[in-house]
């Protein structure tokens, strides 16, 4: 069971690992900039975390492959997504470490990095793609497609990743197979539709009759609620939903969006608890990447002000805009607009309740 040849140093290839930090300031000027070591190590650690996240996402995609998923593997899927989330929290924490470097310290070696940029990280671009970010969703980078910033030999790898199934697509197909979307003898969707419409209409009445709201504020809030009401009604009109989806208002298919809503409403039912945890984990992944992008944007503003980034982008502005644009599971966030208090959720028929409780009752 023991090997004389194996030890910690060799197993982790420490010599090779610690030889990966080459200061460009020392190579090109003969005078090392002290904080360049911090800059290199933080970004190298990012790449290691990207590698692990890719490993986890690829393993999840392998489980989702096919037309059937063994329910015993659902907990494994959720736990691996939760691992990704914990890694994302570390990515955000590393920004704090980076911010111990002052703008003046960064300027000591910044110009030596041009035109290198974190935007050129192949692993991160592949990770975004495997999660489900599409080319057409991405912001242009220096007025060019995002993969033009990659090395020529990396671009085919990027194209290959784009041609493969991603997590968004796999989850969408899984949602479409959700049972209980149609319940025998129970018109759930019409009952729920009336409940939500009454709730939104009540909010609209409050806004229209609130004397403390100025005219512009009243009109703006009224428009928001009217749009929410129209968006909600489209959920129950397949043609209207298809039109809204074509406009980019939704990404999930008609059946999948209903399933995602049903799972979140009846999350307490034993059969839906793991699916709910999966949806929650997907939202966490999106939220933490949004948080990381925003923290990165703030750091860029702190370090560079209005200067362009080392890769030639608009620096802070590009990073800030990508925070809003580069989201994958936005539909799951939008659905919360149509939640109602637990007390107003339609009561399920006893037969459906028994079926949803099968994990415990059988």
């Amino acid at each position: 069971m023991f090997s004389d040849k194996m030890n910690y140093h060799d197993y982790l290839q420490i010599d090779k690992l610690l030889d990966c930090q080459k200061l460009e300031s020392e190579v090109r000027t003969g005078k090392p900039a002290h904080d360049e070591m911090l800059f290199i190590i933080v970004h190298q650690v990012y790449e290691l975390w990207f590698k692990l996240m890719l490993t986890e996402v690829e393993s999840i995609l392998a489980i989702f492959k096919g037309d059937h998923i063994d329910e015993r593997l659902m907990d494994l899927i959720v736990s691996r997504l939760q691992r990704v989330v914990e890694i994302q929290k570390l990515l955000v924490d590393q920004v704090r470490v980076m911010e111990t470097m002052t703008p003046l310290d960064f300027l000591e070696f910044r110009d030596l990095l041009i035109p290198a940029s974190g935007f050129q990280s192949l692993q991160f671009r592949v990770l975004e793609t495997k999660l489900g970010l599409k080319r057409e969703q991405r912001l242009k980078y220096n007025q060019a497609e995002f993969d033009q910033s990659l090395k020529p030999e990396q671009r085919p790898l990027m194209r290959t990743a784009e041609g493969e199934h991603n997590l968004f697509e796999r989850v969408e197909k899984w949602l479409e197979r959700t049972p209980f979307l149609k319940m025998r003898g129970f018109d759930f969707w019409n009952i729920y539709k009336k409940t939500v419409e009454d709730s939104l209409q009540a909010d609209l009445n409050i806004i229209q009759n609130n004397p403390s709201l100025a005219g512009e504020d009243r009109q703006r809030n009224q428009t928001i609620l009217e749009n929410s009401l129209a968006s909600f009604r489209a959920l129950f009109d397949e043609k209207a939903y298809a039109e809204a989806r074509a406009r980019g208002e939704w990404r999930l298919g008609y059946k999948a969006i209903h399933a995602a809503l049903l799972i979140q409403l009846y999350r307490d039912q034993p059969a839906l608890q793991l699916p709910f945890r999966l949806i929650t984990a997907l939202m966490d992944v999106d939220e933490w990447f949004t948080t990381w992008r925003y923290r990165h944007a703030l750091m860029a503003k702190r370090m560079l002000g209005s200067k362009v980034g080392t890769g030639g982008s608009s620096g802070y502005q590009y990073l800030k805009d990508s925070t809003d644009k580069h989201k994958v599971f936005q539909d799951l966030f939008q659905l919360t607009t149509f939640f109602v208090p637990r007390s107003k959720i339609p009561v399920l028929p006893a037969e459906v309740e028994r079926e949803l409780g099968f994990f415990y009752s059988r």
Side-chain angles (χ1 to χ4, degrees):
M1 294 180 61
F2 298 95
S3 170
D4 294 335
K5 296 180 181 180
M6 180 59 68
N7 65 40
Y8 173 90
H9 197 93
D10 295 336
Y11 176 64
L12 296 180
Q13 302 185 62
I14 300 296
D15 289 336
K16 186 184 297 184
L17 188 64
L18 299 184
D19 194 42
C20 290
Q21 296 77 41
K22 305 297 183 184
L23 304 188
E24 195 67 12
S25 55
E26 184 173 21
V27 172
R28 292 171 61 178
T29 71
K31 184 180 178 181
H34 179 81
D35 281 11
E36 190 180 356
M37 182 66 76
L38 164 69
F39 188 87
I40 291 174
I41 287 176
V42 167
H43 285 83
Q44 287 178 340
V45 172
Y46 274 144
E47 291 295 329
L48 289 173
W49 286 131
F50 295 159
K51 182 174 183 177
L52 182 54
M53 284 192 285
L54 275 169
T55 299
E56 302 302 338
V57 171
E58 287 168 350
S59 73
I60 293 168
L61 286 170
I63 296 173
F64 266 121
K65 188 177 181 180
D67 295 330
H68 172 76
I69 300 174
D70 189 331
E71 287 297 319
R72 291 172 295 183
L73 297 177
M74 288 303 300
D75 186 65
L76 183 62
I77 291 172
V78 171
S79 67
R80 289 180 180 175
L81 278 174
Q82 289 173 335
R83 179 178 293 169
V84 169
V85 170
E86 293 305 314
I87 295 170
Q88 290 175 299
K89 294 176 184 178
L90 294 176
L91 301 186
V92 175
D93 281 343
Q94 285 182 206
V95 175
R96 295 167 54 197
V97 179
M98 184 78 87
E99 286 179 338
T100 63
M101 175 176 62
T102 70
L104 293 180
D105 293 325
F106 182 41
L107 291 174
E108 285 296 318
F109 62 92
R110 173 186 177 267
D111 288 352
L112 301 175
L113 307 182
I114 296 172
S117 167
F119 194 88
Q120 297 163 338
S121 170
L122 173 65
Q123 284 199 118
F124 185 65
R125 298 305 165 204
V126 170
L127 178 58
E128 290 179 312
T129 298
K130 286 185 178 291
L131 287 173
L133 186 64
K134 292 291 190 179
R135 178 176 290 262
E136 55 269 24
Q137 290 178 264
R138 294 180 182 272
L139 291 174
K140 296 286 185 181
Y141 180 71
N142 294 339
Q143 306 305 312
E145 292 290 339
F146 77 101
D147 55 349
Q148 292 305 301
S149 65
L150 300 176
K151 297 168 69 174
E153 62 269 25
Q154 293 177 331
R155 292 170 197 163
L157 298 175
M158 193 69 248
R159 288 288 185 176
T160 297
E162 289 182 293
E164 296 172 342
H165 286 290
N166 57 60
L167 187 57
F168 180 91
E169 293 167 344
R170 296 292 193 195
V171 168
E172 181 179 42
K173 295 299 182 187
W174 169 76
L175 284 169
E176 288 173 350
R177 298 194 297 268
T178 301
F180 312 112
L181 291 181
K182 292 185 178 179
M183 305 180 193
R184 295 183 300 277
F186 181 54
D187 196 357
F188 164 76
W189 293 112
N190 274 336
I191 297 172
Y192 181 69
K193 181 182 176 185
K194 184 177 186 310
T195 302
V196 175
E197 285 182 341
D198 288 347
S199 176
L200 291 174
Q201 189 62 53
D203 289 344
L204 195 56
N205 292 337
I206 290 172
I207 289 171
Q208 291 171 338
N209 299 307
N210 188 342
S212 64
L213 282 177
E216 289 184 3
D217 291 336
R218 179 180 290 108
Q219 184 59 50
R220 182 178 63 253
N221 291 335
Q222 182 173 324
T223 299
I224 290 172
L225 272 171
E226 287 172 348
N227 289 339
S228 294
L229 194 53
S231 180
F232 177 69
R233 286 170 176 160
L235 292 182
F236 305 95
D237 182 331
E238 195 161 358
K239 182 180 178 182
Y241 184 82
E243 291 171 354
R245 195 179 178 202
R247 292 192 299 268
E249 295 174 18
W250 300 95
R251 283 191 68 190
L252 287 169
Y254 190 67
K255 287 179 64 177
I257 203 73
H258 283 197
L261 182 57
L262 184 78
I263 288 167
Q264 294 189 83
L265 290 175
Y266 294 103
R267 65 189 70 178
D268 296 331
Q269 297 295 331
L272 299 180
Q273 287 176 8
L274 268 175
F276 172 68
R277 286 176 58 203
L278 172 59
I279 286 175
T280 300
L282 293 171
M283 294 173 71
D284 287 342
V285 169
D286 234 1
E287 182 175 328
W288 277 102
F289 266 141
T290 299
T291 301
W292 182 61
R293 289 186 180 102
Y294 185 63
R295 288 289 282 114
H296 192 184
L298 290 178
M299 181 178 67
K301 187 70 170 179
R302 177 173 176 163
M303 294 290 178
L304 298 174
S306 299
K307 297 184 180 76
V308 297
T310 53
S313 73
S314 56
Y316 164 76
Q317 195 60 49
Y318 173 84
L319 292 166
K320 180 177 177 295
D321 291 345
S322 68
T323 298
D324 297 324
K325 183 80 171 174
H326 293 177
K327 294 178 180 176
V328 177
F329 299 101
Q330 184 66 20
D331 286 7
L332 302 178
F333 290 85
Q334 287 182 200
L335 281 178
T336 59
T337 308
F338 313 128
F339 286 5
V340 294
R342 286 176 184 267
S343 58
K344 294 186 178 181
I345 297 174
V347 177
L348 295 172
E351 180 184 353
V352 176
E353 186 101 27
R354 282 195 300 272
E355 291 181 10
L356 285 169
F358 74 93
F359 282 132
Y360 293 155
S361 61
R362 293 183 182 179

